[in-house]
Amino acid sequence: MTETTFNLSLPISGMTCASCVSHVESALKELPGVRDVVVNLATNKASLNYDPQKVKLADMQRAVKDVGYAVPTSELTLDIRGMTCGSCVAHVEEALNELDGVQAAVVNLGLGTARVTHIPGVVSTSGMKRAVRDVGYEASERSQGADALDRERQAREDEIKRQGRNLLISGSIGLVVMIGTFYEMLGPFKTFVPEFLSYKWVIGLLTSPIVFGPGRQFFTNSWRGLKHGVTDMNLLYATGIGAAYGIAVINTIFPGAGFGGEGATFFESAALLTTFIILGRWLEALTRGRTSEAIRRLMKLQPKIARIIRNGKEEEIPAEEVESGDLILVRPGEGIPVDGVVAEGYSAVDESMLTGESLPVEKKGGDNVIGGTLNKTGAFKFTATRVGKDTALGQIIKLVEDAQASKAPIQKLADWVAGHFILGVHILAVLVFIFWFFSGYQRFFDPSSRFMLSPASLGEIGVFGFSLLLSVTVLVISCPCAVGLATPSAMMAGAGKAAENGVLFKGAEAIEKASKLQTIVFDKTGTLTKGEPSVTDLITDSESGVWSSETSLSTPEAQLLVLRLAAVAEKNSEHPLGEAIVNSAESRGLLVGAAESFNSIPGHGVEAQVEGRAVLLGNRRLMREREVDFAKLMVQAEALEADGKTVMFVAFDGQPAGLIAVADTLKEFTFDAIQRLHKLGIETAMITGDNLRTAQAIARQVGIHRILAEVLPQDKAEEVKKLQAAGKSVAMVGDGVNDAPALAQADVGMAIGSGTDVAKETGDVILIRDDIRDVVVALEVARATMRKVKQNLFWAFFYNTLSIPLAAGLLYPATSLIISPELAGLLMAVSSITVTLNTLLLKGFKPSIRRDDRPQSGVGLSEPLLTPVVASGD
Amino acid sequence: MEYKQIEKEVVRRSALIYLPISVGATLLFFLAASLVGGYPPVAKIGGVVWVGLLSLIVSMPIVTSRVKHYVGTVARNHE
């Protein structure tokens, strides 16, 4: 065999000096089949000659990696047109994966895209497009943003128009063919139909433009694929239509050939089969685009025009041309084009489309604004901080697109089945033909045989015609398009539905895994709780001598006095507990003035002179040292401590005044979320660095029974691993920053409250709002999506499992009925439409929380999240 | 070796394998139909054509993809 060698220019990253060059060169030279290696440090490239029989590109990558450098990769998305089923997906993926330099190609049938991870320079975009074209499909580079939206919509509309036109031609002529074929059965209506329409050659003349016009696409597409060694659905159609048309022509020219004689035509089979297949294509084109509406809705939020101020003048430019640092003017009623910070002016902005916040949010100088939201009342200027793909909206769109373009494990299996199915069907068609030709016809043929749901008789059909009919029907009825559509269409709809509810899945695999979760571990601080201490209890000792001069004070007034004076004493303190007291006093409208004197007692508390009183504030030990007797309040103090709260003792002028309890409090919806998870059958656990007593107190309040307390941040992942080792499918919910290792370890990592900067988050699921109930939303959407996937796969496989034996003539010996090719075509179209419509039902799905009380929101970012959640300390 | 040359090589080598397979299947069918007897010539010829066509459709992609791997066509992207 001739030796085949190629020149290759391989990009290398990580080289800094001449020794790096020599390392890389030596590593590559050591590989068998690699010659003439020259590494260029300036261009970061290795030029070489290699023999693909002896060495693969992957070997070279590994060799480079082994010596500490890397071959950089990049990602490209291609729009693929002409794919109709799972086998098309397999063919396109195979064609791309075969290319040297392509590391992975993931094709999404629903979106009509291929995401290709490749080594730049080794494989070109035109090479990829050619590979796709060679196997019978069209490929173009995907454009970004609104342009991509327009092009996608245009492509879909073109396909709908094309197939609609084909349907109109084949449907109208097919109807005339039908009428002509069954002319003798028209009874009194015969007078309205010219007799010549029943002549065989006229029916043949009418059928030919259907087969060679609208039906031509199946022949050309299948031939193009076959030439390159691939079989797809078009081949099934082409063989079916071609065989039916061939039988009809032979029977017309040679009536004695055994295809039913003078009484049969079969032209109607070819005509109607083509019509029904095109009907299926048209309906699919109509419905398929609707599963990706989430992306379209998100993209529509972005205004197309921005009004920027340059050199003091207003200038309108396309939104995608705005650069970071540009000053942008927004008038009332206008959309905000990019993310930024208000520089001047005041207004209210409707952020409901992104945050779900129903009331407009006030914006003044220094406030953040988000691209895609709507300015309501005033005009303002803002400085662009994030533009293009970096905006909050851009990041969200990217995540949803990625999720929709990825593949769940269940989908990979379905695609594999669909990809190998067509070849299997052809083998089955040969076997069916051979059985009926050599055995079945002689044993079971009944001259009174008929087509199912048709008045047409098969009386004069011979052994070849009969066997061929059954063989062709098997080919037509076995089309696996429903199998190919089942999973991706549901995943796309599910990922979109989740995004509408503020939950971003990073991939289809995350959806599948989330649907199977058994245990959810919550980080305590910042996730279940607010992550910052606040005053929870105020207790005063009414019998204390401190109140002897304040007899007119009611208990609540006394409590507020204790709080106010404690706040004044703590005003200069930087201790978190002190801050909690000051915040609490201010939030109650108390005036927190300045202390006359202040002294911090490290590790114990503070003492201050406030309004003529000596205020002492601190722990039990401080009070003991200063001989302040808190015996009467000790029972309450211990009870508060048992609840995990930190108690601070307050004394005025050396006498006990009261207790202030401070604790990290639960977030508003924590209890509700945990109860809902329990109802879903999920085991919940809490992980925290706090001591067991504090952890137990919080767990008791929310109803969590499994507590993992005193766990250091670096050990959280280990705890998750232990749960997994016990056979549980575990999710970890955390803030995505200091919980990153645990989020990565879990089967599903959920980062909560990430706000608008979603791209930085660790985890498989991103909950944009700081609302823990979105964990329930994520689970419910994932379960609903997987339910839909399973339903779709059931219907697709059920249809094929049931229809193939029927088409092969399993019931014929008992019923003398066979399925005609055109009925098979109709059933095939119905099966894929059933699957698509079933998926569309997911659009009506509402998570239980939305059904119960929360208003429906947009993508779902809540106002507090525009400033990041305080990182937990545990 | 150029990409087009490799493609031609794949097509040539594949055809040398799948054509004999299809013809073999066709001959087998013809032989069986003749041995069983009683089939009109149209049925025999039609059967031969149909079995030959399906055999070709089944063997062509299997053989072509195997040969493609064997020949090691990796030139598509080397423009």
Side-chain angles (χ1 to χ4, degrees), chain A residues 6-7 53 98-100 122-124 126 130 134 228-229 231 235 257 423 426 430 433 437-438 442 464 468 471, chain B residues 1 3 7 29 32-33 39 42-43 46-47 50 54 57-58 60-62 68 70-71 74-79:
Chain A
F6 298 107
N7 289 324
Q53 299 294 325
E98 267 183 8
L99 295 174
D100 247 9
V122 175
V123 60
S124 66
S126 58
R130 190 170 60 195
D134 282 350
H228 290 86
T231 50
L235 186 60
L423 214 53
H426 277 90
V430 179
F433 179 79
F437 190 89
F438 287 112
Q442 293 80 355
F464 172 61
L468 184 62
S471 182
Chain B
M1 195 188 272
Y3 165 72
E7 281 288 281
F29 176 84
Y39 292 104
V42 172
W50 186 243
L54 290 184
I57 288 172
V58 170
M60 202 173 163
I62 297 174
K68 202 187 271 182
Y70 180 73
V71 174
V74 285
R76 250 188 223 127
N77 51 326
H78 290 265
E79 295 183 314

Short mmCIF file of all heavy atoms in Angstrom, two decimals, chain A residues 6-7 53 98-100 122-124 126 130 134 228-229 231 235 257 423 426 430 433 437-438 442 464 468 471, chain B residues 1 3 7 29 32-33 39 42-43 46-47 50 54 57-58 60-62 68 70-71 74-79:
data_model
loop_
_atom_site.label_atom_id
_atom_site.label_comp_id
_atom_site.label_asym_id
_atom_site.label_seq_id
_atom_site.Cartn_x
_atom_site.Cartn_y
_atom_site.Cartn_z
N PHE A 6 1.27 13.46 5.61
CA PHE A 6 0.72 14.82 5.55
C PHE A 6 1.59 15.78 6.33
O PHE A 6 2.22 15.40 7.31
CB PHE A 6 -0.68 14.85 6.18
CG PHE A 6 -1.66 13.99 5.47
CD1 PHE A 6 -2.09 12.79 6.03
CD2 PHE A 6 -2.15 14.35 4.22
CE1 PHE A 6 -2.98 11.99 5.38
CE2 PHE A 6 -3.05 13.55 3.56
CZ PHE A 6 -3.47 12.36 4.13
N ASN A 7 1.54 17.02 5.87
CA ASN A 7 2.18 18.09 6.64
C ASN A 7 1.14 18.65 7.60
O ASN A 7 -0.04 18.76 7.25
CB ASN A 7 2.68 19.20 5.71
CG ASN A 7 3.88 18.73 4.92
OD1 ASN A 7 4.72 17.97 5.43
ND2 ASN A 7 3.95 19.13 3.66
N GLN A 53 -1.23 6.45 9.20
CA GLN A 53 -1.34 5.01 9.47
C GLN A 53 -0.61 4.64 10.76
O GLN A 53 -0.97 3.68 11.43
CB GLN A 53 -0.71 4.20 8.32
CG GLN A 53 -1.38 4.40 6.98
CD GLN A 53 -2.80 3.87 6.97
OE1 GLN A 53 -3.09 2.87 7.61
NE2 GLN A 53 -3.69 4.53 6.26
N GLU A 98 -14.63 12.22 12.26
CA GLU A 98 -13.59 11.57 11.47
C GLU A 98 -12.48 12.52 11.05
O GLU A 98 -11.39 12.12 10.69
CB GLU A 98 -14.22 10.97 10.21
CG GLU A 98 -14.63 9.53 10.38
CD GLU A 98 -15.17 8.96 9.09
OE1 GLU A 98 -15.11 9.62 8.05
OE2 GLU A 98 -15.67 7.83 9.15
N LEU A 99 -12.80 13.83 11.08
CA LEU A 99 -11.81 14.81 10.64
C LEU A 99 -10.68 14.91 11.63
O LEU A 99 -10.91 14.97 12.84
CB LEU A 99 -12.46 16.18 10.49
CG LEU A 99 -13.53 16.33 9.42
CD1 LEU A 99 -14.17 17.70 9.51
CD2 LEU A 99 -12.91 16.15 8.04
N ASP A 100 -9.47 14.95 11.11
CA ASP A 100 -8.33 15.17 11.98
C ASP A 100 -8.44 16.57 12.55
O ASP A 100 -8.73 17.52 11.83
CB ASP A 100 -7.05 15.06 11.14
CG ASP A 100 -6.27 13.85 11.56
OD1 ASP A 100 -6.81 13.05 12.34
OD2 ASP A 100 -5.12 13.69 11.11
N VAL A 122 -5.67 23.10 12.39
CA VAL A 122 -5.52 21.72 11.91
C VAL A 122 -6.71 21.37 11.03
O VAL A 122 -6.57 20.70 10.01
CB VAL A 122 -5.41 20.75 13.10
CG1 VAL A 122 -5.37 19.31 12.62
CG2 VAL A 122 -4.16 21.07 13.90
N VAL A 123 -7.86 21.81 11.46
CA VAL A 123 -9.05 21.57 10.64
C VAL A 123 -9.72 22.93 10.40
O VAL A 123 -9.79 23.76 11.30
CB VAL A 123 -10.01 20.57 11.33
CG1 VAL A 123 -10.48 21.07 12.67
CG2 VAL A 123 -11.21 20.27 10.45
N SER A 124 -10.17 23.13 9.16
CA SER A 124 -10.77 24.43 8.85
C SER A 124 -12.29 24.32 8.87
O SER A 124 -12.85 23.23 8.76
CB SER A 124 -10.32 24.88 7.47
OG SER A 124 -10.86 24.00 6.51
N SER A 126 -14.23 25.34 6.57
CA SER A 126 -14.71 24.88 5.26
C SER A 126 -14.55 23.37 5.14
O SER A 126 -15.37 22.69 4.52
CB SER A 126 -13.98 25.59 4.13
OG SER A 126 -12.60 25.37 4.26
N ARG A 130 -17.57 20.90 4.36
CA ARG A 130 -17.51 19.96 3.25
C ARG A 130 -17.82 18.53 3.72
O ARG A 130 -18.55 17.79 3.05
CB ARG A 130 -16.13 20.01 2.59
CG ARG A 130 -16.11 19.23 1.28
CD ARG A 130 -14.84 19.48 0.52
NE ARG A 130 -13.67 19.09 1.30
CZ ARG A 130 -12.43 19.46 1.01
NH1 ARG A 130 -12.21 20.26 0.00
NH2 ARG A 130 -11.41 19.05 1.73
N ASP A 134 -20.76 16.32 2.29
CA ASP A 134 -20.48 15.02 1.66
C ASP A 134 -21.41 13.92 2.13
O ASP A 134 -21.61 12.93 1.44
CB ASP A 134 -19.02 14.61 1.95
CG ASP A 134 -18.05 15.35 1.04
OD1 ASP A 134 -18.53 16.02 0.10
OD2 ASP A 134 -16.83 15.27 1.28
N HIS A 228 -21.15 8.06 0.30
CA HIS A 228 -20.13 8.17 1.34
C HIS A 228 -20.32 7.15 2.45
O HIS A 228 -19.83 7.33 3.56
CB HIS A 228 -20.12 9.59 1.90
CG HIS A 228 -19.60 10.57 0.92
ND1 HIS A 228 -20.41 11.15 -0.03
CD2 HIS A 228 -18.35 11.03 0.69
CE1 HIS A 228 -19.67 11.95 -0.78
NE2 HIS A 228 -18.41 11.89 -0.37
N GLY A 229 -21.09 6.13 2.16
CA GLY A 229 -21.21 5.03 3.11
C GLY A 229 -22.16 5.28 4.26
O GLY A 229 -22.01 4.69 5.31
N THR A 231 -26.34 5.58 5.55
CA THR A 231 -27.75 5.36 5.21
C THR A 231 -28.59 6.21 6.14
O THR A 231 -28.32 6.27 7.33
CB THR A 231 -28.14 3.89 5.41
OG1 THR A 231 -27.72 3.50 6.71
CG2 THR A 231 -27.52 3.00 4.39
N LEU A 235 -33.24 7.30 2.57
CA LEU A 235 -33.07 6.07 1.82
C LEU A 235 -34.32 5.18 1.95
O LEU A 235 -34.76 4.56 0.99
CB LEU A 235 -31.83 5.33 2.33
CG LEU A 235 -31.43 4.09 1.54
CD1 LEU A 235 -31.12 4.43 0.10
CD2 LEU A 235 -30.23 3.43 2.19
N ALA A 257 -47.46 -9.22 -15.43
CA ALA A 257 -46.20 -9.42 -14.69
C ALA A 257 -46.41 -9.90 -13.25
O ALA A 257 -45.45 -10.25 -12.56
CB ALA A 257 -45.40 -8.14 -14.68
N LEU A 423 -30.12 0.46 8.78
CA LEU A 423 -29.45 -0.68 8.17
C LEU A 423 -30.17 -1.97 8.57
O LEU A 423 -30.40 -2.86 7.75
CB LEU A 423 -28.00 -0.71 8.65
CG LEU A 423 -26.98 -1.21 7.64
CD1 LEU A 423 -27.09 -0.44 6.34
CD2 LEU A 423 -25.59 -1.07 8.21
N HIS A 426 -33.31 -2.45 6.57
CA HIS A 426 -33.08 -2.96 5.22
C HIS A 426 -32.82 -4.47 5.24
O HIS A 426 -33.26 -5.20 4.35
CB HIS A 426 -31.92 -2.21 4.54
CG HIS A 426 -32.36 -0.92 3.93
ND1 HIS A 426 -32.36 0.26 4.63
CD2 HIS A 426 -32.86 -0.62 2.70
CE1 HIS A 426 -32.82 1.23 3.86
NE2 HIS A 426 -33.12 0.72 2.68
N VAL A 430 -35.16 -7.43 3.43
CA VAL A 430 -34.69 -8.57 2.60
C VAL A 430 -35.29 -9.86 3.14
O VAL A 430 -35.82 -10.69 2.39
CB VAL A 430 -33.15 -8.67 2.61
CG1 VAL A 430 -32.69 -9.86 1.78
CG2 VAL A 430 -32.51 -7.41 2.09
N PHE A 433 -38.97 -10.17 2.42
CA PHE A 433 -39.17 -10.49 1.01
C PHE A 433 -38.90 -11.98 0.75
O PHE A 433 -39.70 -12.67 0.11
CB PHE A 433 -38.25 -9.62 0.14
CG PHE A 433 -38.37 -9.91 -1.32
CD1 PHE A 433 -39.42 -9.40 -2.06
CD2 PHE A 433 -37.45 -10.74 -1.96
CE1 PHE A 433 -39.55 -9.69 -3.41
CE2 PHE A 433 -37.57 -11.04 -3.31
CZ PHE A 433 -38.62 -10.50 -4.04
N PHE A 437 -41.62 -14.68 -0.45
CA PHE A 437 -41.36 -15.14 -1.81
C PHE A 437 -41.26 -16.67 -1.85
O PHE A 437 -41.86 -17.32 -2.71
CB PHE A 437 -40.05 -14.52 -2.33
CG PHE A 437 -39.81 -14.74 -3.79
CD1 PHE A 437 -40.30 -13.84 -4.73
CD2 PHE A 437 -39.09 -15.84 -4.25
CE1 PHE A 437 -40.07 -14.04 -6.09
CE2 PHE A 437 -38.86 -16.05 -5.61
CZ PHE A 437 -39.36 -15.14 -6.53
N PHE A 438 -40.52 -17.22 -0.91
CA PHE A 438 -40.27 -18.67 -0.96
C PHE A 438 -41.28 -19.50 -0.18
O PHE A 438 -41.42 -20.68 -0.41
CB PHE A 438 -38.86 -18.98 -0.46
CG PHE A 438 -37.78 -18.57 -1.43
CD1 PHE A 438 -36.92 -17.53 -1.14
CD2 PHE A 438 -37.66 -19.22 -2.65
CE1 PHE A 438 -35.94 -17.15 -2.03
CE2 PHE A 438 -36.67 -18.84 -3.55
CZ PHE A 438 -35.81 -17.79 -3.26
N GLN A 442 -47.09 -18.90 -0.87
CA GLN A 442 -47.66 -20.20 -1.21
C GLN A 442 -48.55 -20.73 -0.09
O GLN A 442 -49.57 -21.37 -0.34
CB GLN A 442 -46.54 -21.21 -1.49
CG GLN A 442 -45.70 -20.94 -2.73
CD GLN A 442 -44.64 -19.87 -2.51
OE1 GLN A 442 -44.57 -19.25 -1.45
NE2 GLN A 442 -43.82 -19.63 -3.52
N PHE A 464 -44.18 -12.26 -6.55
CA PHE A 464 -43.16 -11.19 -6.45
C PHE A 464 -43.80 -9.88 -5.99
O PHE A 464 -43.30 -9.21 -5.07
CB PHE A 464 -42.45 -11.01 -7.79
CG PHE A 464 -41.55 -9.81 -7.81
CD1 PHE A 464 -40.47 -9.73 -6.93
CD2 PHE A 464 -41.79 -8.74 -8.68
CE1 PHE A 464 -39.65 -8.62 -6.93
CE2 PHE A 464 -40.96 -7.63 -8.68
CZ PHE A 464 -39.89 -7.57 -7.80
N LEU A 468 -42.87 -8.09 -2.57
CA LEU A 468 -42.26 -6.76 -2.69
C LEU A 468 -43.06 -5.72 -1.90
O LEU A 468 -42.50 -4.87 -1.20
CB LEU A 468 -42.19 -6.37 -4.17
CG LEU A 468 -41.49 -5.05 -4.48
CD1 LEU A 468 -40.04 -5.09 -4.05
CD2 LEU A 468 -41.56 -4.75 -5.98
N SER A 471 -42.33 -6.03 1.72
CA SER A 471 -40.96 -5.59 1.97
C SER A 471 -40.87 -4.06 1.96
O SER A 471 -40.26 -3.45 2.84
CB SER A 471 -40.06 -6.20 0.88
OG SER A 471 -38.74 -5.85 1.09
N MET B 1 -0.42 11.91 -0.48
CA MET B 1 -1.58 11.57 -1.30
C MET B 1 -2.69 12.59 -1.09
O MET B 1 -2.96 12.99 0.04
CB MET B 1 -2.09 10.18 -0.92
CG MET B 1 -3.06 9.60 -1.94
SD MET B 1 -3.81 8.09 -1.34
CE MET B 1 -2.65 6.89 -1.85
N TYR B 3 -6.48 14.37 -1.05
CA TYR B 3 -7.77 13.96 -0.52
C TYR B 3 -8.62 13.24 -1.57
O TYR B 3 -9.20 12.18 -1.32
CB TYR B 3 -8.49 15.21 0.01
CG TYR B 3 -9.95 15.01 0.27
CD1 TYR B 3 -10.36 14.25 1.36
CD2 TYR B 3 -10.90 15.57 -0.58
CE1 TYR B 3 -11.70 14.07 1.59
CE2 TYR B 3 -12.23 15.37 -0.35
CZ TYR B 3 -12.64 14.63 0.74
OH TYR B 3 -13.96 14.44 0.96
N GLU B 7 -10.18 9.52 -1.63
CA GLU B 7 -11.60 9.25 -1.81
C GLU B 7 -11.83 8.24 -2.93
O GLU B 7 -12.60 7.30 -2.80
CB GLU B 7 -12.34 10.55 -2.13
CG GLU B 7 -12.61 11.42 -0.92
CD GLU B 7 -13.68 10.86 -0.03
OE1 GLU B 7 -14.87 11.01 -0.35
OE2 GLU B 7 -13.34 10.23 0.99
N PHE B 29 -30.01 -15.93 -4.53
CA PHE B 29 -31.46 -15.83 -4.64
C PHE B 29 -31.93 -16.51 -5.92
O PHE B 29 -32.89 -17.28 -5.93
CB PHE B 29 -31.89 -14.35 -4.61
CG PHE B 29 -33.37 -14.17 -4.82
CD1 PHE B 29 -34.25 -14.28 -3.75
CD2 PHE B 29 -33.89 -13.92 -6.09
CE1 PHE B 29 -35.61 -14.13 -3.94
CE2 PHE B 29 -35.25 -13.78 -6.29
CZ PHE B 29 -36.12 -13.88 -5.20
N ALA B 32 -31.69 -20.22 -5.65
CA ALA B 32 -32.74 -20.78 -4.80
C ALA B 32 -34.08 -20.78 -5.52
O ALA B 32 -34.83 -21.77 -5.49
CB ALA B 32 -32.84 -19.97 -3.51
N ALA B 33 -34.40 -19.65 -6.22
CA ALA B 33 -35.67 -19.55 -6.94
C ALA B 33 -35.73 -20.60 -8.04
O ALA B 33 -36.78 -21.20 -8.28
CB ALA B 33 -35.84 -18.16 -7.51
N TYR B 39 -41.56 -20.41 -10.43
CA TYR B 39 -41.70 -18.95 -10.45
C TYR B 39 -41.68 -18.43 -11.88
O TYR B 39 -40.82 -18.85 -12.68
CB TYR B 39 -40.56 -18.29 -9.67
CG TYR B 39 -40.61 -18.57 -8.19
CD1 TYR B 39 -39.77 -19.48 -7.60
CD2 TYR B 39 -41.54 -17.90 -7.39
CE1 TYR B 39 -39.82 -19.75 -6.24
CE2 TYR B 39 -41.61 -18.16 -6.02
CZ TYR B 39 -40.74 -19.08 -5.46
OH TYR B 39 -40.81 -19.35 -4.12
N VAL B 42 -40.75 -13.09 -14.65
CA VAL B 42 -40.84 -11.73 -14.09
C VAL B 42 -40.54 -11.76 -12.59
O VAL B 42 -39.83 -10.90 -12.05
CB VAL B 42 -42.24 -11.13 -14.36
CG1 VAL B 42 -42.40 -9.81 -13.62
CG2 VAL B 42 -42.46 -10.93 -15.83
N ALA B 43 -41.09 -12.75 -11.88
CA ALA B 43 -40.88 -12.85 -10.43
C ALA B 43 -39.41 -13.10 -10.13
O ALA B 43 -38.84 -12.49 -9.21
CB ALA B 43 -41.73 -13.97 -9.85
N GLY B 46 -37.48 -9.90 -11.12
CA GLY B 46 -37.83 -8.85 -10.15
C GLY B 46 -37.20 -9.12 -8.80
O GLY B 46 -36.64 -8.21 -8.16
N GLY B 47 -37.26 -10.38 -8.38
CA GLY B 47 -36.67 -10.77 -7.09
C GLY B 47 -35.18 -10.54 -7.08
O GLY B 47 -34.62 -10.03 -6.09
N TRP B 50 -34.58 -6.80 -6.77
CA TRP B 50 -34.89 -6.29 -5.42
C TRP B 50 -33.86 -6.75 -4.38
O TRP B 50 -33.35 -5.96 -3.60
CB TRP B 50 -36.31 -6.73 -5.03
CG TRP B 50 -36.78 -6.14 -3.72
CD1 TRP B 50 -37.10 -6.81 -2.59
CD2 TRP B 50 -36.99 -4.76 -3.42
NE1 TRP B 50 -37.52 -5.95 -1.59
CE2 TRP B 50 -37.44 -4.67 -2.08
CE3 TRP B 50 -36.83 -3.57 -4.15
CZ2 TRP B 50 -37.75 -3.46 -1.46
CZ3 TRP B 50 -37.13 -2.37 -3.52
CH2 TRP B 50 -37.58 -2.33 -2.20
N LEU B 54 -31.32 -4.29 -2.39
CA LEU B 54 -31.25 -4.23 -0.92
C LEU B 54 -29.88 -4.68 -0.40
O LEU B 54 -29.35 -4.12 0.56
CB LEU B 54 -32.37 -5.05 -0.27
CG LEU B 54 -33.80 -4.50 -0.43
CD1 LEU B 54 -34.80 -5.36 0.34
CD2 LEU B 54 -33.91 -3.06 0.04
N ILE B 57 -27.61 -1.86 -0.82
CA ILE B 57 -27.87 -0.80 0.16
C ILE B 57 -27.32 -1.20 1.53
O ILE B 57 -26.81 -0.37 2.27
CB ILE B 57 -29.40 -0.51 0.24
CG1 ILE B 57 -29.85 0.22 -1.02
CG2 ILE B 57 -29.74 0.30 1.47
CD1 ILE B 57 -31.35 0.39 -1.13
N VAL B 58 -27.41 -2.49 1.85
CA VAL B 58 -26.93 -2.94 3.16
C VAL B 58 -25.39 -3.00 3.18
O VAL B 58 -24.76 -2.52 4.12
CB VAL B 58 -27.52 -4.33 3.51
CG1 VAL B 58 -26.84 -4.93 4.74
CG2 VAL B 58 -29.02 -4.23 3.75
N MET B 60 -23.11 -1.64 1.03
CA MET B 60 -22.35 -0.45 0.60
C MET B 60 -21.90 0.42 1.78
O MET B 60 -20.70 0.71 1.90
CB MET B 60 -23.21 0.36 -0.37
CG MET B 60 -22.45 1.28 -1.25
SD MET B 60 -23.64 1.95 -2.45
CE MET B 60 -22.73 3.34 -3.03
N PRO B 61 -22.80 0.84 2.67
CA PRO B 61 -22.33 1.70 3.78
C PRO B 61 -21.42 0.97 4.75
O PRO B 61 -20.46 1.56 5.26
CB PRO B 61 -23.62 2.14 4.47
CG PRO B 61 -24.67 1.20 4.02
CD PRO B 61 -24.26 0.67 2.70
N ILE B 62 -21.71 -0.31 5.00
CA ILE B 62 -20.87 -1.05 5.96
C ILE B 62 -19.45 -1.15 5.42
O ILE B 62 -18.47 -0.81 6.09
CB ILE B 62 -21.45 -2.46 6.22
CG1 ILE B 62 -22.84 -2.36 6.87
CG2 ILE B 62 -20.51 -3.28 7.11
CD1 ILE B 62 -23.54 -3.70 7.05
N LYS B 68 -12.92 3.04 4.57
CA LYS B 68 -12.49 4.43 4.83
C LYS B 68 -11.56 4.46 6.04
O LYS B 68 -10.52 5.12 6.02
CB LYS B 68 -13.73 5.29 5.08
CG LYS B 68 -13.49 6.76 4.85
CD LYS B 68 -14.69 7.57 5.28
CE LYS B 68 -15.69 7.74 4.17
NZ LYS B 68 -16.83 8.56 4.59
N TYR B 70 -9.83 1.99 7.11
CA TYR B 70 -8.63 1.23 6.78
C TYR B 70 -7.65 2.09 6.00
O TYR B 70 -6.46 2.13 6.28
CB TYR B 70 -9.03 -0.03 5.99
CG TYR B 70 -7.87 -0.89 5.60
CD1 TYR B 70 -7.21 -1.66 6.56
CD2 TYR B 70 -7.43 -0.95 4.28
CE1 TYR B 70 -6.13 -2.45 6.21
CE2 TYR B 70 -6.36 -1.73 3.93
CZ TYR B 70 -5.70 -2.48 4.90
OH TYR B 70 -4.64 -3.25 4.55
N VAL B 71 -8.18 2.75 5.00
CA VAL B 71 -7.29 3.57 4.17
C VAL B 71 -6.78 4.79 4.95
O VAL B 71 -5.73 5.34 4.64
CB VAL B 71 -8.03 3.99 2.87
CG1 VAL B 71 -7.20 4.96 2.05
CG2 VAL B 71 -8.35 2.77 2.03
N VAL B 74 -7.71 11.04 6.10
CA VAL B 74 -7.69 12.12 7.08
C VAL B 74 -7.39 13.45 6.39
O VAL B 74 -7.04 14.43 7.04
CB VAL B 74 -6.62 11.84 8.15
CG1 VAL B 74 -7.08 10.78 9.10
CG2 VAL B 74 -5.31 11.49 7.51
N ALA B 75 -7.54 13.44 5.07
CA ALA B 75 -7.07 14.62 4.35
C ALA B 75 -8.12 15.70 4.13
O ALA B 75 -7.80 16.77 3.65
CB ALA B 75 -6.53 14.18 3.00
N ARG B 76 -9.35 15.39 4.48
CA ARG B 76 -10.42 16.33 4.12
C ARG B 76 -10.13 17.77 4.56
O ARG B 76 -10.45 18.72 3.87
CB ARG B 76 -11.71 15.88 4.78
CG ARG B 76 -12.70 15.37 3.78
CD ARG B 76 -14.00 15.14 4.50
NE ARG B 76 -14.53 13.89 4.06
CZ ARG B 76 -14.91 12.91 4.85
NH1 ARG B 76 -14.79 13.04 6.14
NH2 ARG B 76 -15.39 11.81 4.37
N ASN B 77 -9.54 17.87 5.70
CA ASN B 77 -9.36 19.22 6.23
C ASN B 77 -8.01 19.85 5.86
O ASN B 77 -7.73 20.98 6.23
CB ASN B 77 -9.50 19.21 7.75
CG ASN B 77 -8.65 18.15 8.36
OD1 ASN B 77 -8.47 17.10 7.75
ND2 ASN B 77 -8.11 18.38 9.53
N HIS B 78 -7.21 19.11 5.14
CA HIS B 78 -5.91 19.67 4.73
C HIS B 78 -6.08 20.38 3.41
O HIS B 78 -5.98 19.79 2.35
CB HIS B 78 -4.89 18.53 4.60
CG HIS B 78 -4.50 17.96 5.91
ND1 HIS B 78 -3.40 18.36 6.61
CD2 HIS B 78 -5.11 17.03 6.67
CE1 HIS B 78 -3.33 17.68 7.74
NE2 HIS B 78 -4.37 16.87 7.79
N GLU B 79 -6.43 21.63 3.50
CA GLU B 79 -6.70 22.34 2.24
C GLU B 79 -5.49 23.13 1.79
O GLU B 79 -4.78 23.66 2.60
CB GLU B 79 -7.86 23.29 2.48
CG GLU B 79 -9.10 22.53 2.78
CD GLU B 79 -10.28 23.46 2.95
OE1 GLU B 79 -10.13 24.46 3.65
OE2 GLU B 79 -11.32 23.18 2.38
#
